[in-house]
Amino acid sequence: AQSVAQPEDQVNVAEGNPLTVKCTYSVSGNPYLFWYVQYPNRGLQFLLKYITGDNLVKGSYGFEAEFNKSQTSFHLKKPSALVSDSALYFCAVRETGANNLFFGTGTRLTVIP
Amino acid sequence: EAQVTQNPRYLITVTGKKLTVTCSQNMNHEYMSWYRQDPGLGLRQIYYSMNVEVTDKGDVPEGYKVSRKEKRNFPLILESPSPNQTSLYFCASSFPGTGEQFFGPGTRLTVL
């Protein structure tokens, strides 16, 4: 069975500092991995995905994520945080050949001015 | 503009009063899905549809129904709502195989 863990409910970071939001997963076969962001009173917006290829994936708004197969992780990163990055972030996984996404419980990122 | 729309955005109702939340997408996506979002639980899938007239249960289908008579529409039906169905509901759609789902703005449902 597939599962996603986001070990931190809340991450606080100072504006201008690098940020990391952690995600680990468990899935049969090769995973398809995703990050979504949810701003207040909005739906989820796609940030980036890993399907295959380069382990470092670049996405929207300057975010990137690193796929680490041995650690079964897909951490979201950004070199310099902005106050406007404050939001709820979800990691999701999909098994090869499936269409359904399985989401983590979310991490609330707060960037402090 | 490519989008997924949901109506209503907010709904307060009483136990047992049937309701329908509509979902429509204009991207010609085959795959559509309903999720509920609850604090500390993330998003959990209720039902999904691979195409017209093809629907299947997700992780938390109890108390919900869906239909897919047209490709663009995927309504969520609560025939007898209960307070434990108070939640934030999202509809999503995608092309099969890409995995990148597009989400609607959400429907906040309160069942008294």
Side-chain angles (χ1 to χ4, degrees):
Chain A
Q2 55 192 340
S3 66
V4 176
Q6 294 183 242
E8 300 158 317
D9 292 335
Q10 173 83 40
V11 170
N12 297 325
V13 63
E15 186 176 23
N17 282 3
L19 69 87
T20 299
V21 182
K22 296 179 181 177
C23 172
T24 59
Y25 67 90
S26 174
V27 68
S28 301
N30 294 321
Y32 295 170
L33 295 156
F34 304 81
W35 277 102
Y36 285 82
V37 60
Q38 184 181 28
Y39 297 103
N41 300 313
R42 303 284 296 274
L44 276 71
Q45 296 179 30
F46 170 79
L47 274 181
L48 51 80
K49 66 181 176 183
Y50 172 82
I51 303 296
T52 186
D54 195 343
N55 289 345
L56 185 64
V57 179
K58 294 188 184 298
S60 307
Y61 312 121
F63 283 94
E64 58 189 27
E66 186 169 12
F67 171 64
N68 187 315
K69 188 173 183 178
S70 63
Q71 298 184 5
T72 61
S73 67
F74 189 57
H75 301 333
L76 182 69
K77 299 181 180 183
K78 188 173 182 182
S80 179
L82 300 173
V83 173
S84 57
D85 293 330
S86 298
L88 187 57
Y89 290 81
F90 288 98
C91 182
V93 66
R94 178 168 71 89
E95 290 183 334
T96 306
N99 286 288
N100 297 342
L101 285 176
F102 192 86
F103 286 85
T105 53
T107 297
R108 186 164 300 281
L109 172 69
T110 300
V111 181
I112 303 163
Chain B
E1 179 188 357
Q3 59 182 346
V4 179
T5 57
Q6 294 178 229
N7 282 291
R9 293 288 313 278
Y10 302 90
L11 179 60
I12 300 174
T13 189
V14 295
T15 299
K17 186 176 182 181
K18 180 179 179 179
L19 66 92
T20 299
V21 183
T22 64
C23 173
S24 183
Q25 51 94 5
N26 63 0
M27 293 168 279
N28 203 36
H29 287 160
E30 286 87 0
Y31 179 88
M32 296 186 75
S33 181
W34 276 103
Y35 298 89
R36 59 178 289 172
Q37 182 181 5
D38 301 290
L41 297 176
L43 275 78
R44 294 177 293 166
Q45 189 177 50
I46 303 170
Y47 269 94
Y48 66 96
S49 170
M50 294 300 298
N51 214 323
V52 176
E53 302 291 2
V54 181
T55 63
D56 208 346
K57 296 178 180 179
D59 297 316
V60 288
E62 292 76 23
Y64 304 95
K65 285 177 57 177
V66 293
S67 69
R68 187 92 181 272
K69 294 184 171 56
E70 304 167 283
K71 196 172 188 179
R72 62 184 294 127
N73 296 324
F74 190 44
L76 179 69
I77 303 155
L78 285 72
E79 299 236 331
S80 183
S82 62
N84 65 10
Q85 293 178 299
T86 293
S87 188
L88 180 58
Y89 291 87
F90 288 102
C91 179
S93 72
S94 72
F95 291 115
T98 65
E100 178 184 340
Q101 294 187 11
F102 293 82
F103 282 79
T107 295
R108 186 166 293 281
L109 172 65
T110 301
V111 183
L112 302 175

